[in-house]
Amino acid sequence: MDARWRIRAPVALYIAWCIGAYTLLLASDWHYAWHAGLHGLALFLLWKPALLRPRRSAPTTVHLVLIGTVYTAFVAEPLALLTRGDLDPNLLVNGFLWIGSYAGAYLAWAWLLTRGRWHPVTLFFLCGTLALFDHSLALWRMAHAGAVQDLLVFAPMLHLTYASMLAPVVIAYRTALQRKDVAPHIGVVIAAVLLPGVLFRLGSLWIPFARAFVGGF
């Protein structure tokens, strides 16, 4: 099989799966239309990655973590949550509560990007696997309950949502932080599934401290 089709065929199936999932979701709750803004913004930033990099200095790990955390917590997250805060009804406060988790995920990617030459499609799909570590563990709960139909609908939606939140930033920095001109080996790929998720969960330890800080005002 031609190398291009090895990428295009699964991508086409993934797109079809996502379209089917969103068709069902929109039929039950029109608020999912907010995700059109999230995914559209992600496409725009994938097209214009320079908007996510500093203009007057070389991109660094610090830029990746800071810009990525701010973009994800305060821009992408509200769209992903359908403008309904999950930890606090105030979306600014809600984003503030989540900065620890997203900073953790981007710290993991800051290290992973140094491990080799990543293909942008690979990075997109790997960023989406953060859905496995979602704070509600929704996919694992569905699988445990045997809710196959719900799993088939929410799995592509959650994967695409997390990919849209993280992948534009990660892909924007992939060449700037690269230190090896070889494809990452399988161990690094497995780490790219696990490490961002683990640090994402550990970063949630920030939430009670952030609540106490906000409550002090």
Side-chain angles (χ1 to χ4, degrees):
M1 182 184 291
D2 183 271
R4 289 175 297 178
W5 282 105
R6 284 201 294 269
I7 295 177
R8 291 177 181 176
V11 168
L13 289 172
Y14 174 76
I15 292 173
W17 191 12
C18 288
I19 290 173
Y22 271 105
T23 299
L24 294 172
L25 288 169
L26 285 168
S28 63
D29 188 346
W30 67 269
H31 282 94
Y32 281 101
W34 280 102
H35 280 191
L38 171 65
H39 304 319
L41 178 60
L43 282 173
F44 177 73
L45 292 173
L46 288 168
W47 178 47
K48 296 287 187 181
L51 294 175
L52 293 167
R53 296 192 292 259
R55 295 184 179 181
R56 299 181 181 180
S57 60
T60 65
T61 296
V62 173
H63 291 118
L64 167 65
V65 176
L66 288 179
I67 293 174
T69 300
V70 171
Y71 162 73
T72 305
F74 296 102
V75 180
E77 175 90 353
L79 292 171
L81 293 173
L82 315 179
T83 68
R84 304 165 176 171
D86 56 348
L87 298 178
D88 191 280
N90 184 312
L91 291 175
L92 286 176
V93 174
N94 196 74
F96 180 68
L97 296 177
W98 278 114
I99 60 175
S101 292
Y102 289 117
Y106 282 113
L107 278 171
W109 276 111
W111 177 79
L112 290 163
L113 289 177
T114 67
R115 298 297 90 193
R117 182 183 65 250
W118 293 91
H119 192 285
V121 174
T122 302
L123 288 176
F124 184 86
F125 279 100
L126 286 172
C127 284
T129 61
L130 196 64
L132 296 171
F133 299 86
D134 180 76
H135 70 284
S136 66
L137 297 178
L139 297 181
W140 296 105
R141 292 176 185 274
M142 292 175 194
H144 183 262
V148 177
Q149 291 183 336
D150 288 344
L151 189 61
L152 289 175
V153 172
F154 282 95
M157 182 275 286
L158 284 173
H159 180 277
L160 181 58
T161 297
Y162 275 102
S164 289
M165 287 197 290
L166 273 75
V169 183
V170 172
I171 291 173
Y173 284 80
R174 68 187 181 96
T175 55
L177 300 186
Q178 175 185 315
R179 293 181 186 173
K180 300 179 181 179
D181 193 25
V182 294
H185 57 74
I186 187 62
V188 176
V189 175
I190 293 173
V193 175
L194 299 176
L195 188 59
V198 170
L199 293 186
F200 177 80
R201 300 288 295 190
L202 287 175
S204 66
L205 295 174
W206 159 260
I207 294 174
F209 295 101
R211 284 191 189 278
F213 179 80
V214 172
F217 288 91

